[in-house]
Amino acid sequence: MTIGLVILAVALAAAFYMAWTIGANDVANAMGTSVGSGALTLISAILLAAVFEFSGAVLVGASVTETISKGIIEVGLFERTGPLGEDGPMLLALGMICALLASAIWLHAATHFGMPVSTTHSIVGAVFGIGIVSFGFRGVDWSTIGQIVASWLISPLLGGVLAFGTFITVRRLILESPDPVAATRRYAPYIIGVVVGVMTLSFIYKVLSRRFEAPSVLLSLLIAAGLGAAVGAVAGAFVRATRPARDAGTFTYVERVFALLQIATACFVAFAHGANDVANAVGPLATIATLYNTGFTEVVGRVGVPTWTLFLGGGGIVLGLATLGHRVIATIGRQITEITPTRGFSAEFGAATTVLIASSLGLPISTTHTLVGGVIGVGFGHGIAALNLATVRRIVTSWVATVPVAAVLAAVLFVVARAVVL
């Protein structure tokens, strides 16, 4: 077996391990509030997430053509020999393998302790470590690191504010009204319409725009408004025709309606996540496969993602959620604050809206941080005493640790691999 084939085999294993940890950590975020509120059982959440994550990864993920360095290092530097005279393309392949392994190891550790962290920040930190070891401080883009640091504040703050505002609106319009059932029937069409509109815009700009040219802003708004109005009208008629069960209390009926909305938003987040974040695992793998096909003689900065890598990544994500996702689900759904369907819906809707707004404005954002901020925001709606501040502190600490820990792990692995292989 040639050294090139060994490197490709190791890359396959590393990419699958990375996908497994993405499923265990990131996907669990999307479903955590639904499980915590009782809208879904753990088994139902895993099954739904498996379907939508895998569908997003395989059906749309092929369009995700990433710069393999995540904007941290200039890949063109590897076209020449390495700093110690090594073969540049081979050095790049080793670097991407070490980045995958380091990122996955950190994600695995964070998941073991139930800490929701950003998988994108993890792989960025790992690539950062590779860049430092290969070319020193001149070989990395510090502006990207600055954006990550800014996202530690921007993501949870925006997510928390919008989730808090959503929950306060729902509480005042429905939960505190004299007749919550009548209020639910009155406002349900508008709430559902807005949710569908936001999800439509997110789908256009976060998913479809990566494969096709995005329609104009006006056309996108018209499409979103039209779908929102149509679905809202149909769903509103259904809600108004549904009567509370005789043995069910008033708030049981209200929470049941919002549980359905919460499940819908969670499924959408899972689909979009599969379409976008599967590249964190298979992007470096696709690059290594391309290097292998060229005999490790040519460096390609941007690569298409082959379908077979998407099946590998999608399968790893599903397996990770099924085997270890329950730890992060427990943190998101039960250990930050008490979650009900109205609160869970507010957190997820606030997070989805935040991601849409921030993406359109070009602001650095982390979906994980945004969702956690949303959960904190709805908890804050009941006062600071409703939050488990010890858990919040542990989560924030894990966020700050992600980039440096992944960078150090990748650097150490890369130094060892370079000494052994080259």
Side-chain angles (χ1 to χ4, degrees):
M1 183 180 290
T2 66
I3 184 64
L5 197 57
V6 171
I7 287 177
L8 181 60
V10 174
L12 284 168
F16 187 81
Y17 181 33
M18 176 65 174
W20 182 82
T21 57
I22 289 174
N25 198 289
D26 239 17
V27 180
N29 291 331
M31 292 293 170
T33 59
S34 296
V35 174
S37 70
L40 289 172
T41 64
L42 180 60
I43 298 299
S44 300
I46 290 174
L47 292 176
L48 281 176
V51 170
F52 285 95
E53 281 279 342
F54 192 81
S55 299
V58 174
L59 297 178
V60 188
S63 62
V64 182
T65 305
E66 294 283 356
T67 56
I68 58 169
S69 66
K70 292 289 180 182
I72 295 295
I73 56 176
E74 175 53 55
V75 178
L77 294 172
F78 289 94
E79 292 177 352
R80 303 179 293 275
T81 57
L84 301 180
E86 309 97 334
D87 177 74
M90 185 67 75
L91 192 67
L92 175 61
L94 287 178
M96 291 301 100
I97 289 175
C98 292
L100 283 171
L101 286 174
S103 179
I105 289 170
W106 167 244
L107 289 173
H108 193 168
T111 304
H112 176 76
F113 292 103
M115 292 298 98
V117 296
S118 170
T119 56
T120 299
H121 289 187
S122 183
I123 191 69
V124 163
V127 173
F128 175 76
I130 300 300
I132 293 293
V133 170
S134 299
F135 305 105
F137 290 100
R138 66 178 179 85
V140 299
D141 184 352
W142 289 96
S143 64
T144 303
I145 297 298
Q147 290 179 350
I148 290 175
V149 173
S151 76
W152 291 340
L153 177 63
I154 294 173
S155 300
L157 182 61
L158 287 179
V161 168
L162 284 179
F164 175 82
T166 301
F167 178 67
I168 292 300
T169 301
V170 170
R171 187 169 68 182
R172 290 183 178 177
L173 290 178
I174 297 176
L175 298 179
E176 294 179 349
S177 69
D179 187 346
V181 172
T184 299
R185 292 171 176 165
R186 181 184 309 118
Y187 294 113
Y190 303 102
I191 295 174
I192 294 170
V194 171
V195 170
V196 171
V198 169
M199 289 195 297
T200 301
L201 289 174
S202 296
F203 185 75
I204 291 173
Y205 289 108
K206 292 290 291 180
V207 179
L208 287 186
S209 64
R210 294 204 159 197
R211 187 165 189 173
F212 309 102
E213 183 178 354
S216 66
V217 174
L218 179 59
L219 181 57
S220 299
L221 289 174
L222 289 174
I223 293 173
L227 282 175
V231 175
V234 173
F238 176 78
V239 170
R240 286 190 294 269
T242 304
R243 300 291 176 182
R246 291 185 178 180
D247 58 343
T250 296
F251 291 106
T252 300
Y253 171 81
V254 174
E255 296 293 354
R256 185 183 303 150
V257 171
F258 277 91
L260 296 176
L261 282 172
Q262 187 183 10
I263 293 170
T265 53
C267 290
F268 171 77
V269 170
F271 183 89
H273 177 271
N276 288 290
D277 281 18
V278 70
N280 288 334
V282 304
L285 172 62
T287 298
I288 296 169
T290 301
L291 290 170
Y292 174 80
N293 290 334
T294 64
F296 296 94
T297 59
E298 181 182 355
V299 171
V300 180
R302 297 182 68 88
V303 294
V305 181
T307 301
W308 66 270
T309 64
L310 296 172
F311 275 93
L312 180 143
I317 286 173
V318 170
L319 184 62
L321 173 66
T323 55
L324 202 61
H326 62 92
R327 293 181 181 270
V328 174
I329 285 177
T331 299
I332 296 291
R334 300 188 180 97
Q335 296 179 17
I336 298 176
T337 189
E338 181 185 358
I339 297 292
T340 61
T342 49
R343 296 183 189 183
F345 161 75
S346 299
E348 290 181 5
F349 179 69
T353 306
T354 300
V355 171
L356 173 62
I357 294 173
S359 299
S360 22
L361 294 177
L363 297 175
I365 207 78
S366 163
T367 303
T368 297
H369 297 184
T370 303
L371 183 58
V372 171
V375 174
I376 294 173
V378 297
F380 194 74
H382 285 271
I384 193 71
L387 294 171
N388 185 335
L389 296 181
T391 298
V392 173
R393 282 193 295 268
R394 289 170 54 225
I395 291 173
V396 173
T397 300
S398 69
W399 291 353
V400 175
T402 293
V403 171
V405 170
V408 171
L409 281 174
V412 171
L413 290 173
F414 187 51
V415 168
V416 173
R418 188 171 64 183
V420 172
V421 177
L422 301 179

